[in-house]
Amino acid sequence: MSDEDATIGQALADVATISLLHERTARENATVNEQLQRALNSRVFIEQAKGVIAERNGINMGQAFQRLREHARSRQEPMHTSAAGVISSRVMI
């Protein structure tokens, strides 16, 4: 193999390596973005449910959060699941 062929081969290997690293980074970023979006959506449900609970019971938001958390824990379910039930009026807290 000539020096020129070796240089071209190394350049192609470098480009392939950079492409693989870029693809991995993009995939990891997409995963993080999906996780953050799920967390944000969950938080929105929880905040809406707190408002519903507070309004229904004439209590403050802290007390509403406490009731929502206790409800979720007593049923061993994620808070956003309990919150969705409150918002849809399937769950009365």
Side-chain angles (χ1 to χ4, degrees), residues 30-76:
T31 299
V32 168
N33 286 339
E34 289 171 14
Q35 291 170 343
L36 289 172
Q37 189 61 52
R38 277 195 307 271
L40 178 61
N41 292 343
S42 176
R43 190 67 198 170
V44 167
F45 276 144
I46 291 168
E47 290 301 318
Q48 288 175 344
K50 282 170 46 180
V52 170
I53 294 166
E55 178 64 26
R56 282 182 187 158
N57 296 286
I59 58 177
N60 67 41
M61 296 294 273
Q63 293 166 320
F65 180 77
Q66 183 72 20
R67 287 188 185 187
L68 179 61
R69 184 173 58 196
E70 289 170 0
H71 176 83
R73 284 181 178 171
S74 71
R75 285 159 182 74
Q76 297 180 347

Side-chain angles (χ1 to χ4, degrees), residues 69-88:
R69 184 173 58 196
E70 289 170 0
H71 176 83
R73 284 181 178 171
S74 71
R75 285 159 182 74
Q76 297 180 347
E77 65 186 15
M79 280 186 62
H80 71 271
T81 301
S82 291
V86 169
I87 294 166
S88 67

Side-chain angles (χ1 to χ4, degrees), residues 11-27:
L12 290 173
D14 291 346
V15 168
T17 300
I18 290 168
S19 295
L20 289 171
L21 291 173
H22 178 67
E23 190 277 332
R24 181 188 317 160
T25 300
R27 190 172 358 107

